[in-house]
Amino acid sequence: MASGTLVSRALGFLKVVLITVAIGSVTTVSDVFELANTLPNLIYVLVAGGVFNAVLVPQIIKASKADDDGADYISRLMTLAVLALLGVTAVVVLLAGPIVRTMGTDWTEAQLSLGITFALFTFPQIFFYGLYTVVGQVLNARGAFGWYMWAPVVNNVVAIAALLVFVQQFGAYQQDPHTLENWSPAKTFWLAAMATAGVAAQALVLFWPLRRLGLGLRPRFGWRGIGLSTAARLAGWTLATGIIANLAFLALTKVAAIPTGYRPEYLAMDPPQQIPGVAALNQASMLYSLPHGVIGLSIATVLFNRMAAASADGDRDGMVASLSSSLRITGVATVFATVALVVFAGPLGMLFSGGVPSAGAVIGQVVAVIAVGAPFMSISFMLGRAFYAQEDARTPFLVQIGVALFTVACALLIWSFVPPDLIIFAVAACYAAQNVLSTLIYHAVLVRRIGDYGVARIVDAHVRILLASLLAGVVGAAVLFSLGGYDPDGFPWNDQLTAVATLAVGGTAMGIAYLGALKLCRVRELDGLVRPLLARLGR
């Protein structure tokens, strides 16, 4: 799973770099496209994502004990999910105009018009995101994890091919700036329509491994009397949790869209001033969520199955052991990633800058702010899954209310008091802070529910990992300094290729130093992280 996610994320990086090459990074068109292309995922998670991710797996595992291996139950559940997704997607597409206008209240009519056009092409992604999740969770519940993590590779390949055609047909942003005035329907097709085509391919490719399960799944209607009441009860709480969480997140996204409307004013200053917008925030978010996506989510997916099975069998010790081990092993990757993101924030920003050093510096600053929340994202996610494994969706809902209130309060304060050029930095800090807050709340509630889950051992492991990461960070910073990374005219700031070279050299040196520091600090969890890889290489 981690290998599939890693390949997918690598291609995702390439896709984002190509987007900055095609339409720039800290530009109006890039911000408008990022908002339109991000909203489908946010809306999907808002209305259904948590339901499918947290509810389906335990129910399918239970249903699989039936004589037909759960085929009838799964068929009916999937039919219901697909119909619900079609309905939600149709409504959202019809409301594309009001949604974009609500999110971009400070935008001009030209910006809103382009945003609505993009949205009409990208909002159908909601259906395919849902289809991908539903089919993927059926595969996960049956122990077929790999396909779910590898499918996004197909999405990225389609999107990368379309972006290459875009650059070939219409030129790169640096040579031929793409603005609101010279935008065309053909550009919309290769940028927005093909982005949706990639998401569709990601979902449809999963039907091949689904068929290989041999369950004989087919559309089945009639949902009374098949035991969906438990799923419906959990889904209700989970849906409420998703609505609360994502309404708060949408509030932050709306605030993050404000700088786009002020960009012309700041560019007219003497000298012109670059201000980050939605695109810069999304690029920084992608980087800080990388360790969770590659390592944390992969471990949590298997962990969730194990915890659900242990909970069903009344095996508290088994559930606690899985949770403790996973939290410690995940920290080996996430804590190191936080330090690496801070050390190499500049070259990483330059990588997504479209070749403009001033834009790279701004993006790098956003990365450095948001990176602090990376370890807590995985910890909070896993602690929340401990409750869902016990078929308790009410507690995560209550926790999310507290986090949502904090998030909305932050959004209001940022909107009211923070100047446009600092808004994205404040939003990035809120991202990190809400992960810390949710971790603390989940911990307090979980200790009251199941008692100690090996907290002292988990904290000891994380302290050792942090010390090893800081030692490696010193090495990384020294290499960056020697390459001119702290000089505005230095090698890493020449263009995107020199940024890649800097990351390759500095990242390799820091990685090697980290391995040595882990041994020095006696971090045993490294063995648990690399053992599956070494076993595969050995074969």
Side-chain angles (χ1 to χ4, degrees), residues 299 303 306-307 310 317-327 382:
I299 292 175
L303 159 75
R306 291 179 180 174
M307 287 198 302
D317 292 339
M319 188 182 75
V320 167
S322 295
L323 178 61
S324 173
S325 174
S326 299
L327 288 171
M382 290 184 178

Side-chain angles (χ1 to χ4, degrees), residues 348-521:
L348 285 167
M350 190 62 194
L351 184 63
F352 299 105
S353 68
V356 181
S358 58
V362 167
I363 297 170
Q365 291 163 5
V366 179
V367 171
V369 173
I370 202 172
V372 179
F376 297 97
M377 173 184 282
S378 294
I379 296 172
S380 173
F381 184 84
M382 290 184 178
L383 293 179
R385 283 300 184 266
F387 291 96
Y388 286 119
Q390 301 172 72
E391 297 190 350
D392 174 13
R394 179 174 177 271
T395 298
F397 168 73
L398 296 175
V399 171
Q400 195 57 61
I401 287 180
V403 176
L405 290 174
F406 169 80
T407 303
V408 171
C410 287
L412 291 174
L413 289 172
I414 295 169
W415 195 348
S416 302
F417 300 108
V418 178
D421 57 317
L422 299 178
I423 281 179
I424 297 300
F425 299 111
V427 172
C430 182
Y431 276 22
Q434 65 184 13
N435 285 328
V436 176
L437 177 62
S438 62
T439 296
L440 294 175
I441 298 176
Y442 270 131
H443 163 72
V445 178
L446 189 61
V447 168
R448 292 183 62 183
R449 172 70 60 82
I450 65 173
D452 181 38
Y453 55 91
V455 176
R457 188 179 178 188
I458 294 169
V459 172
D460 177 72
H462 277 75
V463 169
R464 293 172 183 269
I465 293 167
L466 177 59
L467 178 59
S469 299
L470 292 174
L471 292 173
V474 172
V475 174
V479 173
L480 182 61
F481 178 81
S482 67
L483 293 173
Y486 298 101
D487 180 356
D489 298 319
F491 175 76
W493 300 99
N494 289 342
D495 53 44
Q496 288 166 297
L497 290 178
T498 59
V500 171
T502 301
L503 291 169
V505 174
T508 301
M510 187 172 172
I512 294 172
Y514 184 53
L515 291 175
L518 287 173
K519 293 292 186 181
L520 179 66
C521 296

Side-chain angles (χ1 to χ4, degrees), residues 210-281:
L210 181 67
R211 185 177 181 181
R212 293 179 62 191
L213 290 178
L215 293 174
L217 302 179
R218 64 187 186 279
R220 294 291 301 271
F221 301 90
W223 300 287
R224 296 179 66 86
I226 64 168
L228 283 176
S229 58
T230 300
R233 175 175 55 81
L234 291 174
W237 284 111
T238 309
L239 180 61
T241 303
I243 290 174
I244 294 295
N246 287 283
L247 283 177
F249 190 72
L250 282 172
L252 272 184
T253 304
K254 178 179 173 58
V255 172
I258 292 174
T260 302
Y262 287 87
R263 180 165 287 118
E265 177 183 327
Y266 279 81
L267 290 176
M269 293 180 176
D270 186 20
Q273 183 177 345
Q274 295 275 16
I275 63 172
V278 175
L281 179 65

